[in-house]
Amino acid sequence: MKPISATEAVAAIEAGTLTSEALVRSCLERIAERDPVVKAWVYLHPENAVKQAKAADAAKGGLLRGVPIAVKDIIDTYDMPTGHNSPIFEGKVPFGDAACVALCRTANAVIMGKTVTTEFANRHAGPTTNPHNPSHSPGGSSSGSAAAVADGHVPLGFGTQTGGSVIRPAAYCGVIGYKPTYGDFSRVGIKMQCHSVDTLGLMARTMPDIALFRGAVLKLPPVPINQDLAAPRIGFCRTPIWGDASADTQALLEATAKKLSAKGASVVDVEFAPEFADILADHGAITGFESFRNYADERLRNPGKLSPEITAVLKRGGAVTLERYVAAQRKSVAFKAHIDSMFDNVDVLLTPSAPGEAPEGLLETGDPRFNSIWTLSGNPCVTLPAGTGAKGLPLGVQLVGLRHDDERILSIAAWVAARL
Amino acid sequence: MKPISATEAVAAIEAGTLTSEALVRSCLERIAERDPVVKAWVYLHPENAVKQAKAADAAKGGLLRGVPIAVKDIIDTYDMPTGHNSPIFEGKVPFGDAACVALCRTANAVIMGKTVTTEFANRHAGPTTNPHNPSHSPGGSSSGSAAAVADGHVPLGFGTQTGGSVIRPAAYCGVIGYKPTYGDFSRVGIKMQCHSVDTLGLMARTMPDIALFRGAVLKLPPVPINQDLAAPRIGFCRTPIWGDASADTQALLEATAKKLSAKGASVVDVEFAPEFADILADHGAITGFESFRNYADERLRNPGKLSPEITAVLKRGGAVTLERYVAAQRKSVAFKAHIDSMFDNVDVLLTPSAPGEAPEGLLETGDPRFNSIWTLSGNPCVTLPAGTGAKGLPLGVQLVGLRHDDERILSIAAWVAARL
């Protein structure tokens, strides 16, 4: 059975032309075939998945009825371990589900299993490979969910983003990634890295699937993609780190701006005011100050079980002073207002999803900076697959919307996706 | 042994004139004597406490060396259950400590035990009584920590505030409560009610103890209280719900303003701009929208184990639309800026800690609205004991500082406390 979208699956299950059991068994076959190479999953219990599928078939309705979902392994599940890719948590089963998981179960989804994360959603990589080329990274930290959705294991996956952990792996793996406005999605049961920026995100292969998945996580009737949208006003935002994007990424963004302009969009250049040229340093100060304290228990009781990478990250965070942290918090408030003001004249910002293709090797998961800017600002972001780079690996373009205007950015993203 | 402050205890332990073991045994005796009436503690393991005390005696240094601390029972501890006053979590021992607990252990504190919370820090009350009169509520949701500190069981206690859960019980029990600027203290390992407002807070009997405790939780050298502070500029902020304060509370605030003016402070009246007269409705919309989703797992898998009170609260929250939530979030941003602007002309706001004395009976923990305003705004708050009301129970006055300027508000609070 060819991979289908969640939207198609729900419709077919409701129509009686497909069963969740058949869908889930087909996904399990795909995983059995592919995961020895892709290594997206850290926990899978096929009998439990099939049991949930049978229950979904027997049930009535539900926004995600019968659809299997991948859950990043820093998100709690009451019936599966949540290991955080850390020996400290290996094999430990939480007392309850994260709210986002429970909301999907409420929508009659099938919680398929747990996908590989970097250690504590930080830098130390897991074994997952890029489905397009196993000698390349899938990106991180939501490595497994991005790879699983890209490779057709499941139609939907949860990721989380503190720096660039949803948008970047989605771009590297060639799927759609959506980071909602900061604060809209519940974070209960998701290991907190940095409360000021942590954001639950979604991965799928189609924009209607993103809208459907969002509805379930918000426990609201999904707002369908507006298919009759007028051509948007686009602000082309190269960002202060444009020079760090690869030549093919720069060319892709320039070409995308031209192509969308030719399709009727207006495109203007927008730039950060000079005082925000170093806004990434403020993201670093906030995440550093918070994460050092957030891992107080692991540092005190299990320092030997933390990787050298996270140990170094936390140590740097511990050097951030309270004064520096406060200055960064105040600047982030001003930055949010600055970005808001850009939307007086445009509907969406166009910007790179990542500096380039996925890096070679599995030790480095790539540079999150094109994402961290927008994690700090709290704006909703969508990455769309947009061709391939010099090595034949996926490249993405990132669309950034006004905060709290997520329904609009999803429709704009669909408009753009149809014209790429 | 008479109850002593944490600051005195650390000094005596460092000087060798007191041992943590003696202090902890003395506290355990006090608890054994008083807790049959006060019922502040839900979990206590005297041998474990004494063991920690002996370790603190054997150790060197630490900001809180040897000091026993009360921990509200929605805050994780690796060596004690964290029950949330809910049958869903009864007896369950988390995998790790909350960051704030680990930071206290890092500072060589003794984690004395777990104190009674209302169910999930919401409305369904626990058994704790007001130490000043057992037929009255201690307030909530941090009932046990407030009562334990007030009654001399321990010098320090952790509470949390989503509405009025630190400042109100502290005021009702006659101790100092401190809610820091939103975001400064780590919330890892604390059950999330509403991420937009949840704040970890501290309770103690002296201002130097609050400053010391804060240093440990921030893992920073504590900034001592400035004892040479010039008389502050005070903004007397009656708030839009002034009419709901009892006559004795209104009289107390008016008298406090006069008294501090006589001591050299300048006092001016400050008022919310008219568009923020209903800001409490926005606090309600935000907490309602978030908490409904945050308890998705409990609602799905254990609805019968939720009290009628929280079931009703969550149901009301579920009726808040996304549009209403977003409007409230946007308004809270404007409200924060509005409150910030008040500090152009004053150093501190003076406002009630609660509408009046602790309510009679144990079913109702009192009205949080004089606190919810400032939980939404994110400003640092201190409640100081300031005499008694008509029924002989404690009354407090609340001081509100500029966001991110906590060291200043603590020194101002000490200035005020010395003159009440």
Side-chain angles (χ1 to χ4, degrees), chain A residues 78 93 95-97 99 102-103 183 186-188 195 214 218 293-294 296-297 301 322 325-326 330 403-404, chain B residues 78 93 95-97 99 102-103 183 186-188 195 214 218 293-294 296-297 301 322 325-326 330 403-404:
Chain A
Y78 83 88
V93 182
F95 301 139
D97 275 339
L103 289 164
S186 173
R187 299 182 301 185
V188 163
H195 82 93
R214 174 175 179 264
L218 284 176
R293 287 153 184 84
N294 287 344
D297 179 55
R301 295 195 302 123
L322 180 61
Y325 174 70
V326 166
R330 288 188 168 137
R403 282 187 297 150
H404 300 300
Chain B
Y78 83 88
V93 182
F95 302 139
D97 275 340
L103 289 163
S186 173
R187 299 183 300 186
V188 164
H195 82 94
R214 173 175 180 263
L218 283 176
R293 287 154 183 84
N294 287 345
D297 179 55
R301 295 195 302 122
L322 180 61
Y325 174 71
V326 166
R330 288 187 167 138
R403 282 188 296 148
H404 300 300

Side-chain angles (χ1 to χ4, degrees), chain B residues 319-330:
Chain B
V320 177
T321 65
L322 180 61
E323 292 67 30
R324 178 71 189 90
Y325 174 71
V326 166
Q329 286 285 12
R330 288 187 167 138

Side-chain angles (χ1 to χ4, degrees), chain B residues 292-359:
Chain B
F292 175 72
R293 287 154 183 84
N294 287 345
Y295 282 92
D297 179 55
E298 290 83 358
R299 287 192 294 104
L300 178 66
R301 295 195 302 122
N302 286 294
K305 293 183 178 175
L306 295 170
S307 73
E309 291 95 323
I310 198 169
T311 301
V313 166
L314 296 177
K315 188 179 173 191
R316 280 199 301 279
V320 177
T321 65
L322 180 61
E323 292 67 30
R324 178 71 189 90
Y325 174 71
V326 166
Q329 286 285 12
R330 288 187 167 138
K331 192 157 174 183
S332 89
V333 171
F335 183 58
K336 287 173 191 181
H338 177 60
I339 300 296
D340 281 354
S341 73
M342 289 186 177
F343 288 89
D344 292 346
N345 302 310
V346 302
D347 300 310
V348 61
L349 305 180
L350 171 69
T351 194
S353 300
E357 293 164 291

Side-chain angles (χ1 to χ4, degrees), chain A residues 272-302:
Chain A
F272 292 180
E275 63 264 39
F276 301 115
D278 61 349
I279 194 67
L280 280 163
D282 297 288
H283 177 275
I286 290 171
T287 55
F289 185 91
E290 293 184 9
S291 61
F292 174 70
R293 287 153 184 84
N294 287 344
Y295 282 92
D297 179 55
E298 290 83 359
R299 287 192 294 104
L300 179 65
R301 295 195 302 123
N302 286 295

Side-chain angles (χ1 to χ4, degrees), chain A residues 221-297:
Chain A
V223 177
I225 299 296
N226 178 358
Q227 303 288 359
D228 299 317
L229 201 73
R233 298 169 302 165
I234 296 173
F236 187 4
C237 185
R238 291 176 181 79
T239 82
I241 53 168
W242 178 250
D244 296 333
S246 66
D248 49 7
T249 292
Q250 290 186 356
L252 170 72
L253 269 287
E254 301 284 357
T256 300
K258 281 208 183 92
K259 189 185 291 184
L260 297 175
S261 177
K263 300 283 184 183
S266 70
V267 181
V268 295
D269 288 344
V270 296
E271 283 185 12
F272 292 180
E275 63 264 39
F276 301 115
D278 61 349
I279 194 67
L280 280 163
D282 297 288
H283 177 275
I286 290 171
T287 55
F289 185 91
E290 293 184 9
S291 61
F292 174 70
R293 287 153 184 84
N294 287 344
Y295 282 92
D297 179 55

Side-chain angles (χ1 to χ4, degrees), chain B residues 24 55 77 87-88 117 121 157 216 246 320:
Chain B
V24 166
T77 40
I88 300 171
T117 175
S246 65
V320 177

